[in-house]
Amino acid sequence: MSRINDQMTPSYRWAKRAHDTVVSAVIATAHGKPVELGGGYDFPDTLPDIVSEAMAAAQSKHETLQYGPLYGLDELRDAIVDYLRDDGITTARENILVVNGAKHGLDLACRVFVEPGDAVIVAAPTYLNAVQILKNAEAHFVSIPQDDAGIDTEILRQRLQARHDAGEPMPKLLFDMPDFHNPTGIAMSAARRQRLVELAMYYDFFIIEDDPYRRIRFEGEPVPPIKAFDNTGRVIGLGTVSKILAPGLRIGWVNAAPPILRRMASQKSDGGTCPFLQRTLVQLFRNGKVDQHIATLSTLLRLHRDTMIDAIREHLPGTSIRTPNGGYFLWVRLPPQIDADELVRRAAKEGVSTLSGRLCFAEEPSDSFLRLAYSFSTPGQIADGIERLGRAYAAMRSEFGPPPHRDL
């Protein structure tokens, strides 16, 4: 019998969306396990003890070991409503959909809103996993720069008006992280948040507000979420316990108008988010462990941030950083002669895992930035990791010479 394909190794007929998929992995080095300064993982020493809550959940196995309700457990949805109320957001159970983390919520939003070629507004830079999800949805990007107040709403207005004047279709969505933005650490001003809602109404697009880091605050007063400025249902809020509690719980939520939630829920293919984990989280909200954990984590991560900044100033001269008031990340601008991708490769050989900022741009990627995370490693490991990074950095500066002169 003849065979259509007689090769020993099969010829994979990939779907278009899978052709350019890149899976990152920890690089083994001569130093052993690398110091992790790239990924936004939770700090292992503070992961919560959930044994008693899990045992309580197990007592209701008729609920927790079955398929879960499509929208989530009512008690958890009510707990999320209370949690959001503390941030100044007025919502109700019918506005909450429980999902498997915020990325799941973004994926569902793309399924119900984005057709191939539809325009989606993002900041430049933006969250790298959001870029991949939007690419999988075959979105067309409209990238808008940021400054210290967040996404530049005047440049956005100009770009939108130009599209309107040219007869081009308006973007359907805007995605952003307004609080301790990943990767830049920027907290958007209240005026910019309000202006975004005004622009969304005028130019007919919806805002996806992803807010995983809002409660991880070190200094300053909180600004109301974008959703708090929304009176017409233009904002789709995404939340998660991955950064404030534990990513392994895989619980997030969408806060949106019921017509949006109905369509998003219909696209869920998970049979309902795990009810065992939902019931466990209900107990953690009820007994105050969520708030306690956030307070502990915020105190520790402030020390981590300060340690990393001090080490960068010592070992990476010529770079510039913005000090974030919360969150997980530092955004490091490199001198012009230092290529971020090459620095990441050399740093790996020194035994430290970092992330090139190139991955955080949906369009026109820049090779001038590193995204560093201070969330996972201890202060001692952070200091050691930045010192190792500094060795790779110093070698590149010596090899490539001083930066080119730039007129002021």
Side-chain angles (χ1 to χ4, degrees):
M1 180 183 294
S2 63
R3 297 179 180 179
I4 295 175
N5 189 335
D6 201 27
Q7 300 178 46
M8 292 296 292
T9 301
S11 176
Y12 300 107
R13 292 185 289 172
W14 304 117
K16 180 182 177 182
R17 71 181 68 89
H19 271 288
D20 299 323
T21 300
V22 177
V23 178
S24 60
V26 175
I27 303 170
T29 73
H31 299 272
K33 187 176 181 180
V35 177
E36 179 56 64
L37 300 181
Y41 305 107
D42 276 19
F43 186 48
D45 293 357
T46 61
L47 290 173
D49 180 356
I50 63 170
V51 172
S52 60
E53 290 79 14
M55 290 178 64
Q59 299 304 309
S60 303
K61 63 181 182 180
H62 62 284
E63 171 197 68
T64 58
L65 298 184
Q66 284 285 5
Y67 291 111
L70 187 60
Y71 285 82
L73 299 183
D74 284 346
E75 289 173 83
L76 179 56
R77 296 165 76 196
D78 290 341
I80 292 167
V81 168
D82 293 339
Y83 179 83
L84 294 175
R85 186 181 297 117
D86 290 341
D87 287 329
I89 296 174
T90 301
T91 189
R93 180 193 293 177
E94 57 265 28
N95 298 103
I96 302 298
L97 174 67
V98 178
V99 291
N100 304 318
K103 291 191 290 291
H104 186 205
L106 176 58
D107 180 70
L108 292 173
C110 288
R111 287 170 183 256
V112 301
F113 279 104
V114 181
E115 300 281 4
D118 281 345
V120 175
I121 304 160
V122 295
T126 191
Y127 175 38
L128 64 95
N129 286 337
V131 171
Q132 189 58 55
I133 291 169
L134 291 164
K135 282 184 176 179
N136 288 345
E138 300 182 60
H140 169 75
F141 291 104
V142 178
S143 297
I144 305 298
Q146 302 177 86
D147 57 25
D148 287 344
I151 193 167
D152 192 317
T153 50
E154 178 55 24
I155 292 177
L156 173 59
R157 185 199 66 77
Q158 293 171 7
R159 293 280 299 276
L160 291 170
Q161 188 60 43
R163 292 179 70 93
H164 176 270
D165 294 344
E168 299 176 6
M170 286 294 103
K172 280 190 174 178
L173 299 173
L174 178 147
F175 171 86
D176 202 18
M177 288 182 165
D179 288 295
F180 315 129
H181 178 268
N182 178 359
T184 65
I186 292 169
M188 186 184 295
S189 70
R192 293 274 178 92
R193 296 173 195 231
Q194 184 171 6
R195 183 60 172 152
L196 278 182
V197 174
E198 294 169 353
L199 291 173
M201 293 175 62
Y202 188 84
Y203 290 102
D204 191 24
F205 62 87
F206 285 80
I207 297 169
I208 299 179
E209 178 182 24
D210 190 3
D211 219 359
Y213 307 103
R214 177 177 177 80
R215 299 289 182 98
I216 310 298
R217 174 175 291 277
F218 312 142
E219 300 103 5
E221 293 299 319
V223 177
I226 299 173
K227 185 66 175 171
F229 295 95
D230 175 31
N231 297 317
T232 62
R234 283 280 170 183
V235 179
I236 301 167
L238 303 182
T240 180
V241 298
S242 292
K243 305 304 182 182
I244 60 171
L245 198 63
L249 288 175
R250 304 314 307 140
I251 299 291
W253 58 86
V254 180
N255 176 27
I260 296 174
L261 286 196
R262 286 196 294 270
R263 285 161 178 79
M264 292 179 73
S266 72
Q267 295 294 317
K268 292 187 74 177
S269 58
D270 58 2
T273 299
C274 177
F276 185 88
L277 297 177
Q278 289 189 65
R279 177 57 61 187
T280 300
L281 181 56
V282 169
Q283 301 296 326
L284 291 166
F285 271 119
R286 283 178 173 173
N287 63 23
K289 282 191 177 181
V290 174
D291 289 339
Q292 294 169 16
H293 183 78
I294 290 170
T296 299
L297 186 62
S298 298
T299 299
L300 285 171
L301 291 191
R302 177 175 180 171
L303 173 61
H304 289 205
R305 178 205 64 181
D306 293 346
T307 299
M308 180 172 279
I309 288 173
D310 289 344
I312 288 172
R313 288 171 176 162
E314 179 179 358
H315 297 293
L316 278 73
T319 63
S320 60
I321 52 176
R322 175 188 292 105
T323 300
N325 290 336
Y328 276 34
F329 302 106
L330 284 181
W331 187 239
V332 183
R333 179 185 287 274
L334 302 171
Q337 81 276 27
I338 303 296
D339 178 86
D341 291 349
E342 178 63 19
L343 179 56
V344 167
R345 285 190 287 270
R346 296 193 185 198
K349 294 179 181 179
E350 293 287 344
V352 57
S353 175
T354 57
L355 187 82
S356 171
R358 177 185 293 275
L359 300 174
C360 301
F361 290 86
E363 302 177 286
E364 300 179 5
S366 170
D367 60 6
S368 298
F369 297 94
L370 289 180
R371 191 200 73 174
L372 298 180
Y374 48 76
S375 58
F376 179 78
S377 297
T378 66
Q381 290 168 335
I382 290 170
D384 177 44
I386 296 298
E387 183 177 358
R388 298 185 190 192
L389 176 62
R391 290 199 290 267
Y393 175 75
M396 289 183 69
R397 292 187 89 197
S398 174
E399 182 177 338
F400 297 117
H405 175 73
R406 286 190 281 187
D407 294 330
L408 299 178

